[in-house]
Amino acid sequence: MGRIIILDEKTANQIAAGEVIERPASVVKELVENAIDAGATAITVEIKNGGISYIRVTDNGCGMESDDVEIAFERHATSKIRKIEDLDNLSTMGFRGEALASIAAVSHLEVRTKTAEEQTGTLVKVEGGKVLSVSQTGCPTGTTFIVRNLFFNTPARYKFLKKDSTEAGYVSAMMVRLALAHPEIAFKFINNNQVQHHTPGNHDLLSVIYSLFGNETARSLLPLDYEETGIRVSGYVGKPEIARGTRNNQFFFINGRTIKNKVLTAALEDACKTLIMQNKFPFCVVNLKISPELYDVNVHPQKLEVRFSNENAVYSALYHGVKSAFTAASLIRETTETAYAPSGKAGDQTGHEQVEMASWNRPASKLPPPQRILLPWELKKQADDGHAGPNETEKPALPIMDVPIQQSEEPETGTERAVSVTSSLAHGKAFSEPGTSQDELVTVKNEPEPDASHEMLSEEARGADVLLEAEIVGQVFDTYIILQHGDRMYLIDQHAAHERIRYETLKKRIAEGQACSQMVLEPYIVRLSPAEYDFLFSRMADFERAGFEIEAFGPQTVIIRSVPDIMGGGFSLDDFHEILDRWMETMGEKYGISDEAIYMMACKSAIKANRRMEKEEIRALLEQLCAMENPYTCVHGRPVAISISRRELEKRFKRIV
Ligand code: ADP
Ligand code: MG
């Protein structure tokens, strides 16, 4: 007996508050949503101590009439619905008439408000749900709520709060979502007296993103503008370079309301799959306009989950929207013919940025519709009719080239000679017949030399493994690696070494059917000659085997979506043309991938000279180099390494004669 009681109003409000108001961020959300409903165009949110001790929300909306203010704090007080049927239209907005009562029940709250028609404003103070005072006050049109000491009377709730900085982080994240959802409203967020974000309220989403995330992000975006089966997709998706290790920078809105949904995440990520490294997640602000009958929002105010009646349609619209954003970007690339070079030099980068800036607001839909974009499950693997890789080159038994330095010669003569002899070979037979160049190199080595050098050649010629034992001294001119071992100094041409590694790696992978491709950031659209076009299409399987993903894109035009992964970093259209030319030249009517084409890919992908390398990088390069079949020459037959003996140096310095 006496077990069942009717809760008093205060207790009921506190319980309700627990559902609606979980933490400072939920107070901010409710107050800001009210301000938005009141037609505000500028909203300022200020917090202190993560919002636990102080939250202020000021808006320039319609305000409340003095008669209405007090009742606004009662449960189920709302100006927004009058009867139960209205709830249907508002179901996405959470519980009605709960927020103010709930906040007031668990805090010290005051509100100043004035409508445009009234001369003076109203000040109401509430504590733990009890109205303490109502008075007149001078204030501008609009409303300011100040919420102090949240959960002062509900210790269990208070205990659940995290530390101030964490709570401030939640508020900040909430503000970001609200600002992104409302580019028409100027939001200012102040945390512990510091302005954290301030959006312009100029109706432009890009400006909002710029003010929230900065220039770096804003200039790495592609606009979304797509419609399919009545589902409109707009907003922005970030290029791979701004992808992050978490999904925190993915924002989805349906009809202006922030939501989370796995189908949307999947569509986005599938559309950028090969563009973005594993465990990285693209940035996006996606606005979906969907007829409200086609989805269901869980009406709990803390839940943002939606269910779609046709998930496939939503997936497809977003997937294609994102895909075409990337395709549209490629058109811009083609007209400017700027090479994609993320690790390029400062000069390239500047040009690149300008192109991107200009393309910001270019809606995808104004561009020719992308072709042959299929959903992942629709993609059919092209049957691989390829065959075994090109012939293996024989491993030459060639020692590191020794540099003979004569006392009577100019300092560089010896080196120059070695290089010039071999590189002239490279332009002759060496290119198509690698074996020849090696024979010739041996011949060069065996040329009559000044006695001392010649002796050294035969006595101290060593295999490449000496490079692994040698001590790394450093790098000179950002081009040559210097090593020391025993009585010898070794100089390595880093570009030649790299070329060799790339060539052998790619060749092996192709032979084993393991060549990997990497999707280019922005696909290239290339117009080809009829001969090139025919050549390419008749050997599509070979191109795929090498790591290219190429599709038809209109008459004599192809779209390059992926390139061999070893080329991914610095691929340009010029490179593609050179590879194609060399491939056609060397294969003629034959099928397969010529060694020369692989040389070309290797050469185009290798790090250029003039790059500073750390010792660990040098070590790794040497290890890779020594694992090669022929670590001694680059693909053009130029030497990779040369050595100079201590004795030679001593002679140069006239220590010995
Ligand atoms: P709801 O928003 O669901 O109506 P709330 O408890 O959040 O319920 O607010 C109660 C009422 O108080 C609102 O319906 C509105 O009339 C009034 N109100 C609250 N905040 C503001 C504001 N910033 N400007 C004008 N009116 C407001
Ligand atoms: Mg409300």
Side-chain angles (χ1 to χ4, degrees):
M1 184 191 124
R3 291 249 181 104
I4 298 174
I5 55 154
I6 305 285
L7 291 174
D8 62 60
E9 197 184 315
K10 189 175 153 218
T11 313
N13 277 344
Q14 284 181 357
I15 291 169
E19 289 180 42
V20 183
I21 305 302
E22 207 180 19
R23 51 179 12 109
S26 19
V27 175
V28 169
K29 173 177 178 280
E30 292 297 335
L31 295 181
V32 170
E33 283 182 351
N34 281 345
I36 295 167
D37 291 342
T41 57
I43 300 174
T44 298
V45 173
E46 178 174 4
I47 61 167
K48 289 175 181 159
N49 304 107
I52 301 165
S53 70
Y54 183 91
I55 298 171
R56 172 174 69 91
V57 177
T58 297
D59 70 58
N60 64 352
C62 65
M64 285 175 269
E65 287 177 19
S66 53
D67 304 347
D68 281 346
V69 193
E70 251 182 284
I71 3 168
F73 295 101
E74 287 178 21
R75 272 186 91 188
H76 312 302
T78 176
S79 58
K80 296 164 196 172
I81 48 172
R82 287 284 175 261
K83 48 190 189 310
I84 190 69
E85 295 86 80
D86 294 341
L87 259 179
D88 282 346
N89 305 324
L90 286 160
S91 62
T92 57
M93 307 297 269
F95 290 152
R96 271 292 157 212
E98 293 279 342
L100 284 191
S102 301
I103 297 166
V106 293
S107 68
H108 296 154
L109 180 150
E110 57 186 67
V111 56
R112 287 172 181 76
T113 186
K114 188 182 92 64
T115 60
E117 296 75 32
E118 288 174 318
Q119 292 299 312
T120 51
T122 310
L123 167 64
V124 178
K125 293 187 179 178
V126 192
E127 212 176 281
K130 222 172 120 223
V131 176
L132 296 184
S133 68
V134 181
S135 56
Q136 286 197 338
T137 184
C139 64
T141 299
T143 304
T144 291
F145 279 95
I146 296 177
V147 177
R148 293 191 174 88
N149 310 324
L150 189 65
F151 300 141
F152 78 100
N153 55 354
T154 50
R157 289 259 138 209
Y158 184 85
K159 233 174 52 201
F160 267 102
L161 292 175
K162 306 211 171 120
K163 58 176 195 285
D164 292 5
S165 58
T166 310
E167 293 297 340
Y170 291 139
V171 177
S172 175
M174 180 65 69
M175 289 303 291
V176 165
R177 290 185 171 276
L178 289 162
L180 287 171
H182 296 279
E184 74 284 3
I185 298 174
F187 284 96
K188 189 193 251 184
F189 174 51
I190 305 165
N191 179 19
N192 291 338
N193 303 317
Q194 282 194 324
V195 177
Q196 289 215 330
H197 348 114
H198 194 177
T199 64
N202 63 355
H203 298 257
D204 175 33
L205 178 58
L206 189 58
S207 307
V208 178
I209 298 174
Y210 179 92
S211 28
L212 296 176
F213 300 98
N215 186 29
E216 192 69 19
T217 298
R219 68 169 185 221
S220 306
L221 300 177
L222 300 171
L224 296 172
D225 186 359
Y226 189 80
E227 185 160 352
E228 192 181 289
T229 55
I231 301 166
R232 254 222 82 64
V233 181
S234 62
Y236 291 90
V237 60
K239 294 183 189 171
E241 63 255 34
I242 56 164
R244 293 283 174 270
T246 70
R247 293 198 175 91
N248 290 348
N249 282 354
Q250 295 185 351
F251 304 94
F252 296 99
F253 301 93
I254 294 192
N255 299 340
R257 198 129 183 110
T258 179
I259 52 114
K260 285 193 177 124
N261 179 277
K262 289 208 178 83
V263 174
L264 298 180
T265 317
L268 168 79
E269 289 172 9
D270 287 349
C272 327
K273 201 168 229 156
T274 44
L275 280 168
I276 290 177
M277 287 197 330
Q278 260 189 344
N279 302 323
K280 291 266 181 186
F281 302 99
F283 174 98
C284 77
V285 180
V286 171
N287 285 308
L288 293 171
K289 278 219 158 57
I290 303 180
S291 168
E293 307 93 70
L294 300 180
Y295 67 97
D296 235 13
V297 180
N298 186 326
V299 294
H300 191 287
Q302 295 308 319
K303 282 192 187 150
L304 309 156
E305 297 285 334
V306 305
R307 267 202 344 260
F308 297 108
S309 55
N310 184 352
E311 290 191 345
N312 283 351
V314 177
Y315 177 96
S316 174
L318 182 56
Y319 180 87
H320 287 123
V322 174
K323 275 271 183 188
S324 48
F326 281 104
T327 309
S330 72
L331 291 177
I332 294 152
R333 163 119 357 268
E334 205 222 358
T335 50
T336 58
E337 290 190 6
T338 312
Y340 161 47
S343 55
K345 296 193 188 82
D348 304 335
Q349 210 74 318
T350 316
H352 189 67
E353 276 165 24
Q354 281 164 359
V355 174
E356 302 317 321
M357 299 279 274
S359 70
W360 268 3
N361 293 316
R362 200 163 161 176
S365 61
K366 302 235 170 71
L367 298 161
Q371 295 179 15
R372 293 188 57 188
I373 297 177
L374 302 174
L375 293 176
W377 57 76
E378 293 167 345
L379 285 167
K380 273 182 265 137
K381 279 230 157 77
Q382 189 163 346
D384 185 21
D385 59 350
H387 43 83
N391 297 332
E392 295 291 297
T393 41
E394 272 173 35
K395 180 168 182 157
L398 190 74
I400 293 164
M401 188 169 285
D402 210 346
V403 179
I405 302 176
Q406 276 182 279
Q407 266 179 283
S408 55
E409 283 179 346
E410 287 300 302
E412 291 85 2
T413 313
T415 315
E416 262 176 12
R417 192 166 55 84
V419 171
S420 63
V421 172
T422 49
S423 62
S424 70
L425 289 169
H427 296 123
K429 286 170 80 183
F431 205 78
S432 47
E433 293 170 34
T436 317
S437 71
Q438 284 141 14
D439 293 340
E440 301 266 357
L441 277 172
V442 175
T443 316
V444 171
K445 186 175 73 75
N446 291 337
E447 255 178 25
E449 295 288 349
D451 286 340
S453 305
H454 192 63
E455 261 172 42
M456 267 180 286
L457 273 174
S458 47
E459 282 171 17
E460 306 198 27
R462 294 159 177 272
D465 285 352
V466 72
L467 302 179
L468 290 182
E469 297 157 32
E471 181 197 337
I472 297 170
V473 177
Q475 196 191 18
V476 68
F477 308 134
D478 289 351
T479 304
Y480 303 105
I481 295 162
I482 308 170
L483 306 175
Q484 173 191 336
H485 187 264
D487 258 346
R488 288 201 160 248
M489 166 177 145
Y490 295 85
L491 288 171
I492 293 165
D493 178 335
Q494 65 195 44
H495 178 64
H498 208 236
E499 245 181 358
R500 166 54 60 184
I501 294 165
R502 295 276 169 133
Y503 164 68
E504 286 197 16
T505 309
L506 183 59
K507 186 171 161 156
K508 184 158 173 274
R509 288 206 205 146
I510 290 173
E512 293 170 358
Q514 320 217 315
C516 301
S517 59
Q518 181 185 318
M519 195 176 261
V520 288
L521 187 53
E522 290 151 357
Y524 291 86
I525 292 175
V526 201
R527 210 181 151 78
L528 300 170
S529 73
E532 288 169 335
Y533 192 84
D534 290 345
F535 181 85
L536 201 156
F537 271 91
S538 62
R539 288 155 186 83
M540 205 46 124
D542 289 326
F543 276 86
E544 273 180 22
R545 220 147 46 82
F548 285 100
E549 191 194 318
I550 302 174
E551 292 169 14
F553 196 77
Q556 276 181 52
T557 306
V558 295
I559 180 162
I560 305 173
R561 299 193 182 282
S562 304
V563 299
D565 65 348
I566 64 161
M567 304 191 69
F571 183 80
S572 77
L573 268 190
D574 283 347
D575 293 346
F576 180 74
H577 281 296
E578 281 189 56
I579 293 163
L580 184 60
D581 287 350
R582 184 54 49 80
W583 198 329
M584 287 174 74
E585 246 169 66
T586 48
M587 291 307 282
E589 298 300 303
K590 286 186 295 188
Y591 288 84
I593 311 166
S594 67
D595 241 4
E596 286 77 2
I598 302 173
Y599 282 165
M600 201 47 118
M601 292 178 221
C603 172
K604 292 300 170 193
S605 74
I607 46 165
K608 303 295 177 223
N610 303 323
R611 195 169 80 76
R612 178 149 288 285
M613 291 173 83
E614 298 304 326
K615 280 199 175 154
E616 301 83 90
E617 244 184 309
I618 293 175
R619 168 78 51 211
L621 184 78
L622 293 175
E623 276 167 12
Q624 283 180 293
L625 179 67
C626 291
M628 294 297 119
E629 290 186 23
N630 170 9
Y632 307 108
T633 56
C634 83
V635 295
H636 302 106
R638 286 196 294 269
V640 168
I642 57 175
S643 82
I644 300 169
S645 71
R646 182 187 193 123
R647 202 177 143 81
E648 281 292 340
L649 289 175
E650 281 170 350
K651 278 162 76 185
R652 300 287 301 179
F653 287 107
K654 312 227 186 275
R655 285 165 167 260
I656 54 170
V657 277

